[in-house]
Amino acid sequence: MISDLMAWVHREIEDAKAQEMAEGQHSERRLPVSVWAGFADLGRGRGREVLEMLVDAGVSRVIFTPTNDAASSRWRWQPSRDQIVRGIAAAKELHCEVWLGPWVRCDKSFLNEVGLQLRELADEVGGVDGWELDAEGSWEVTARSAGNRHPGGIAGAVEENLHHLTQHMTEREMLGATLLYFNRPGGDALLRAKDSSKQPQVTTATIQAYSVWLPGDSAKAESTHQENFQPGTLQRRAWKNYQRFKKDRDLVCLEMGLGWWAQDRTRAPGSLRLSKPEAFRQASEACLKLGADGVCGWAVHLWDSLTRSQERERLPLVLNEIRYLTGLGEA
């Protein structure tokens, strides 16, 4: 009897340990972290210093945004091409993956020009690992317009137009897409688009789940003041919208895009009030628990100033959060 009792107690203890491990496994998960470069000059001065800090904290990929004006129907370098070349050289020196991340429109001539410009750039810098299409509001508007004129609707227009960009890519370069956190037909069609051999074209996707708190009383600002826009909550909503694509489309990676700025919730109602570190952490925890394959933070140019107090404050918060997500230890 005693031996049976001891065996039962032993089993109960082991079961409890297993349960504790299962419940704690989310917080033990660690994720690769990327950053969008934005407007910062990562090849010299303070920008280079910030890049080194980010890499030391665990950043393994930098996505350079060669054009930031999706509202324009014409291609133009923003920031300058020379600056991007310097930044890519610095990122490669630090052994980062390098991707190119242009804002895009669903328009044949525009996508062809993007492809030509990025091909020339990639060849000049000795190659890149992938292209990440920033397919947000302007993509949706232009996809809807193109779909109205296409016999295959939005899906047909997206698949046909996308080829005008991908024809300039090499086989070794991956194609990714950053999408709005709420499903829209242009983004969904982009994830489903196939090439001439019926293979998926987009292999990685990042959900833009920026749980920021924008000041003011504009419609956009007020939308960020709602409970469903809180850190943690917004990531869960975004993941619910897209997780089916990981299986249905066999995506290599489904990542979460976090907005590492505008986290000041000190004037929020009591139930929504969070300190900046708490806001950062709740978004990170959601990414870990939901099963995201990685995190991408917007954007380096928001943390490279030595003169603006907000930016000086953000950088240590960002570095701390990257260490937490990558498992390199919190500051």
Side-chain angles (χ1 to χ4, degrees), residues 53 58 75 143 159 162 176 179 183 194 213 232 247 328-329:
M53 293 179 200
W75 167 275
E159 195 160 84
L162 184 59
L179 307 165
N183 288 99
K194 298 187 182 336
W213 183 284
K247 180 180 179 182
L328 293 185

Side-chain angles (χ1 to χ4, degrees), residues 176-206:
T178 297
L179 307 165
L180 296 166
Y181 75 89
F182 44 91
N183 288 99
R184 285 295 181 267
D188 288 1
L190 188 56
L191 293 185
R192 293 190 173 101
K194 298 187 182 336
D195 63 19
S196 57
S197 60
K198 300 304 179 186
Q199 294 299 310
Q201 298 193 68
V202 172
T203 55
T204 75
T206 304

Side-chain angles (χ1 to χ4, degrees), residues 208 210-215 220 258-265 280 297-299 302-303 310 314 318:
Q208 186 241 61
Y210 297 168
S211 47
V212 296
W213 183 284
L214 301 178
K220 183 175 182 179
L258 298 183
W260 281 334
W261 88 99
Q263 297 295 339
D264 188 354
R265 287 167 162 78
F280 273 74
W298 177 261
L302 297 168
W303 320 314
Q310 284 187 337
R314 282 189 195 121
V318 166

Side-chain angles (χ1 to χ4, degrees), residues 147-161:
N148 289 336
R149 302 187 301 272
H150 196 283
I154 289 176
V158 167
E159 195 160 84
E160 180 180 324
N161 287 352

Side-chain angles (χ1 to χ4, degrees), residues 57 281 315-324 328-331:
R281 186 52 47 87
L315 180 59
L317 289 171
V318 166
L319 295 174
N320 200 60
E321 215 56 27
I322 292 169
R323 293 188 190 100
Y324 179 74
L328 293 185
E330 297 174 67

Side-chain angles (χ1 to χ4, degrees), residues 135-331:
E136 301 181 41
S138 293
W139 174 263
E140 291 298 332
V141 170
T142 53
R144 190 180 308 119
S145 176
N148 289 336
R149 302 187 301 272
H150 196 283
I154 289 176
V158 167
E159 195 160 84
E160 180 180 324
N161 287 352
L162 184 59
H163 171 70
H164 290 265
L165 180 138
T166 57
Q167 65 182 337
H168 301 289
M169 298 180 69
T170 67
E171 289 186 3
R172 69 171 293 275
E173 291 168 337
M174 296 181 70
L175 181 64
T178 297
L179 307 165
L180 296 166
Y181 75 89
F182 44 91
N183 288 99
R184 285 295 181 267
D188 288 1
L190 188 56
L191 293 185
R192 293 190 173 101
K194 298 187 182 336
D195 63 19
S196 57
S197 60
K198 300 304 179 186
Q199 294 299 310
Q201 298 193 68
V202 172
T203 55
T204 75
T206 304
I207 313 167
Q208 186 241 61
Y210 297 168
S211 47
V212 296
W213 183 284
L214 301 178
D217 55 6
S218 68
K220 183 175 182 179
E222 289 188 350
S223 70
T224 69
H225 302 168
Q226 306 305 310
E227 188 171 355
N228 61 14
F229 222 82
Q230 283 286 94
T233 302
L234 183 65
Q235 285 76 37
R236 288 190 290 273
R237 293 173 62 209
W239 194 255
K240 184 178 180 181
N241 288 337
Y242 285 99
Q243 61 182 339
R244 71 183 186 278
F245 285 102
K246 181 71 190 292
K247 180 180 179 182
D248 296 348
R249 270 280 294 99
D250 197 26
L251 290 171
V252 175
C253 291
L254 182 59
E255 303 190 351
M256 200 79 78
L258 298 183
W260 281 334
W261 88 99
Q263 297 295 339
D264 188 354
R265 287 167 162 78
T266 55
R267 297 182 181 179
S271 61
L272 302 181
R273 195 171 299 146
L274 294 171
S275 69
K276 291 168 190 168
E278 286 173 333
F280 273 74
R281 186 52 47 87
Q282 287 195 19
S284 296
E285 284 292 350
C287 296
L288 291 164
K289 291 177 181 178
L290 290 166
D293 295 313
V295 166
C296 194
W298 177 261
V300 175
H301 73 270
L302 297 168
W303 320 314
D304 67 348
S305 173
L306 285 169
T307 57
R308 295 182 61 184
S309 60
Q310 284 187 337
E311 296 186 17
R312 288 203 310 272
E313 181 184 30
R314 282 189 195 121
L315 180 59
L317 289 171
V318 166
L319 295 174
N320 200 60
E321 215 56 27
I322 292 169
R323 293 188 190 100
Y324 179 74
L325 286 162
T326 60
L328 293 185
E330 297 174 67

Side-chain angles (χ1 to χ4, degrees), residues 63-68 75-81 84-85 88 92 98-105 109-134 162 164-170 172-176:
I63 303 172
F64 290 86
T65 52
T67 180
N68 282 278
W75 167 275
R76 70 184 180 94
W77 292 98
Q78 186 190 26
S80 74
R81 193 179 188 282
I84 293 169
V85 169
I88 290 174
K92 287 190 171 190
V98 169
W99 286 48
L100 304 176
W103 288 60
V104 288
R105 300 165 63 86
S109 60
F110 185 85
L111 290 173
N112 183 60
E113 183 67 18
V114 171
L116 285 168
Q117 295 287 352
L118 296 194
R119 176 77 274 132
E120 186 177 322
L121 173 64
D123 290 344
E124 179 180 333
V125 298
V128 297
D129 298 288
W131 300 14
E132 177 84 5
L133 309 182
D134 199 332
L162 184 59
H164 290 265
L165 180 138
T166 57
Q167 65 182 337
H168 301 289
M169 298 180 69
T170 67
R172 69 171 293 275
E173 291 168 337
M174 296 181 70
L175 181 64

